[in-house]
Amino acid sequence: MEKTVAVIRGDGIGPEIVEQALLVLNRVAELFGHKFRYTDVDMGGCAIDKYGDPLPPEMLNKCLASDSVLLGAVGGPKWNGVPGPLRPEKGLLRLRAGMGVYSNNRPAKIWPQLASASPLKQEIVDKGIDFLIVRELIGGIYFGRHETLTQQGEAVAVDELRYTEGEIRRIGRIGFETARKRGKKLCSVEKSNVLDSSRLWKKVMHELARDYPDVALSDMLVDNCAMQIVKDPSQFDVIVTENMFGDILSDEASMITGSIGMIPSSSLGDGSRGLYEPIHGSAPDIALKDLANPIGTILAAAMMLRFSFDMASEADCIEAAVSAVLDAGFRTGDIYTPGSCRVGCGEMGRLILTNLRKP
Ligand code: IPM
Ligand code: MG
């Protein structure tokens, strides 16, 4: 099969982790007889430096013309002073919106090899951690009106949190469909004791539940959810939540699995074209030092094969290679525990590549 992939290396550790993912993809292509064609796309801080815009329209068009998009990470302190609408992160938000990828899928699953890297007590980890956060990605407070004004001589900042029933319904359906394919438990997370948008969210989720009698729906307030994720993560199967709650809870969920460096994510809309990225940021403090963990991005590439290209065996093959390398005791700094063998970003990528085997 031949597929085109728009590749956004981005800023900070972005280029080094994406490089490793591309080497892995190329080897998979060789093994399975595919051809992946890459188009380079500038987005984020590097695009601000080159074009004065974190996502110039022609860059978005390149993404829309590809079968899928693979992204490293964007942002860094260098661009902290630029105005809000021109920040590197704004490029990412415009890309998500421009691609219409409203459903962001973030797995929190513990690799047994990394159980000791989890900050949770062993007895909690032993009960199992394997859930998925379905995060609404192109609505809510991220996309409401943002404004800083002066009122009576004082600065006032406004960020609007707005959801339409339709936006809630389409992500809710993804939540139910996802739960149906897994453990059939869906937890809808909101703040309905305070927010109107959350009360609407809850109402729509319960309406949808009538179409999914086989899925057990529960509701949880977001503050309680933050607590339950560290108290007993084994209770969760699928969590569906709005944009900002999902952003925060997915960082928390990744940490209990050992490291944010391990977690990939997929973002999909109505078609098969997706945006695939690790959930971590650009980590400028460790950039260009060969210290980054490329596994999140390599697993994001695997997700791309599985969900956008219908290449399940190819994705399995990448995940098995990651597992084999962890079994052999190799670790980047973020997942290092005494007794294991510490390697850099390039070496971790190379080890995964040499462990790729066609089943
Ligand atoms: C994420 C990141 C982004 C987000 C930032 C970089 C805008 O934290 O993907 O979780 O908040 O969505
Ligand atoms: Mg985040």
Side-chain angles (χ1 to χ4, degrees):
M1 227 187 267
E2 193 169 314
K3 294 284 177 192
T4 56
V5 182
V7 176
I8 307 176
R9 291 181 165 78
D11 311 311
I13 58 170
E16 34 192 315
I17 52 179
V18 167
E19 192 55 36
Q20 299 311 316
L22 295 184
L23 292 171
V24 167
L25 280 176
N26 288 342
R27 181 79 187 115
V28 167
E30 250 171 61
L31 284 173
F32 289 83
H34 301 306
K35 179 127 197 81
F36 300 132
R37 293 192 188 284
Y38 307 112
T39 315
D40 277 315
V41 169
D42 293 317
M43 186 185 86
C46 58
I48 297 176
D49 290 350
K50 269 198 196 166
Y51 317 101
D53 181 347
L55 183 68
E58 63 272 26
M59 294 296 158
L60 173 61
N61 288 339
K62 279 190 188 187
C63 294
L64 296 176
S66 301
D67 293 317
S68 209
V69 182
L70 183 68
L71 161 68
V74 296
K78 182 175 173 198
W79 303 280
N80 275 352
V82 303
L86 285 180
R87 284 186 63 91
E89 291 81 0
K90 201 69 185 184
L92 178 57
L93 300 189
R94 275 166 40 200
L95 176 67
R96 289 171 177 170
M99 290 180 66
V101 288
Y102 57 83
S103 169
N104 180 218
N105 215 311
R106 300 189 161 187
K109 184 172 178 171
I110 194 140
W111 293 76
Q113 302 95 325
L114 298 184
S116 61
S118 170
L120 294 186
K121 285 198 190 109
Q122 191 66 42
E123 68 248 36
I124 299 179
V125 175
D126 286 347
K127 286 174 76 183
I129 304 176
D130 181 4
F131 63 97
L132 195 94
I133 298 181
V134 175
R135 169 188 177 195
E136 198 293 321
L137 201 61
I138 58 175
I141 199 163
Y142 278 52
F143 291 90
R145 184 172 59 100
H146 302 289
E147 196 173 22
T148 306
L149 28 119
T150 309
Q151 277 175 350
Q152 280 128 32
E154 187 181 35
V156 181
V158 182
D159 296 289
E160 177 195 33
L161 198 182
R162 192 193 142 84
Y163 268 108
T164 66
E165 223 178 312
E167 286 173 318
I168 300 172
R169 189 164 293 113
R170 69 180 178 182
I171 192 68
R173 284 219 179 273
I174 304 282
F176 279 101
E177 296 287 342
T178 310
R180 184 170 259 180
K181 288 187 210 125
R182 294 180 38 115
K184 299 190 168 37
K185 270 167 51 182
L186 180 65
C187 181
S188 162
V189 172
E190 29 70 5
K191 186 74 184 169
S192 56
N193 53 348
V194 178
L195 303 175
D196 266 25
S197 57
S198 281
R199 286 189 276 272
L200 181 61
W201 180 279
K202 187 171 174 181
K203 176 172 164 276
V204 172
M205 291 298 154
H206 282 269
E207 284 166 11
L208 280 172
R210 292 185 217 129
D211 294 346
Y212 298 89
D214 51 326
V215 175
L217 172 69
S218 60
D219 308 294
M220 196 177 276
L221 296 173
V222 63
D223 45 352
N224 183 26
C225 182
M227 190 170 74
Q228 295 299 330
I229 284 177
V230 286
K231 186 169 171 252
D232 178 16
S234 73
Q235 69 186 285
F236 296 110
D237 176 24
V238 178
I239 288 175
V240 65
T241 192
E242 66 93 45
N243 204 343
M244 187 161 72
F245 297 161
D247 176 47
I248 298 168
L249 294 177
S250 61
D251 268 31
E252 186 192 17
S254 72
M255 205 53 231
I256 63 168
T257 68
S259 168
I260 195 168
M262 297 290 299
I263 313 288
S265 85
S266 66
S267 306
L268 287 153
D270 288 327
S272 67
R273 183 189 309 111
L275 169 62
Y276 297 86
E277 49 179 317
I279 77 160
H280 60 71
S282 61
D285 51 319
I286 59 162
L288 301 172
K289 293 184 183 155
D290 194 34
L291 290 175
N293 184 350
I295 296 180
T297 316
I298 290 171
L299 293 173
M303 274 183 135
M304 174 175 84
L305 301 183
R306 190 183 300 284
F307 297 127
S308 283
F309 299 167
D310 210 9
M311 297 180 182
S313 320
E314 291 81 339
D316 288 346
C317 156
I318 296 179
E319 288 164 6
V322 170
S323 191
V325 171
L326 295 176
D327 276 341
F330 295 103
R331 305 283 187 270
T332 42
D334 57 317
I335 47 175
Y336 176 79
T337 43
S340 53
C341 176
R342 192 193 292 258
V343 295
C345 178
E347 180 63 5
M348 180 54 93
R350 198 193 60 77
L351 284 163
I352 292 169
L353 188 131
T354 50
N355 274 278
L356 291 169
R357 307 255 184 288
K358 195 172 168 180

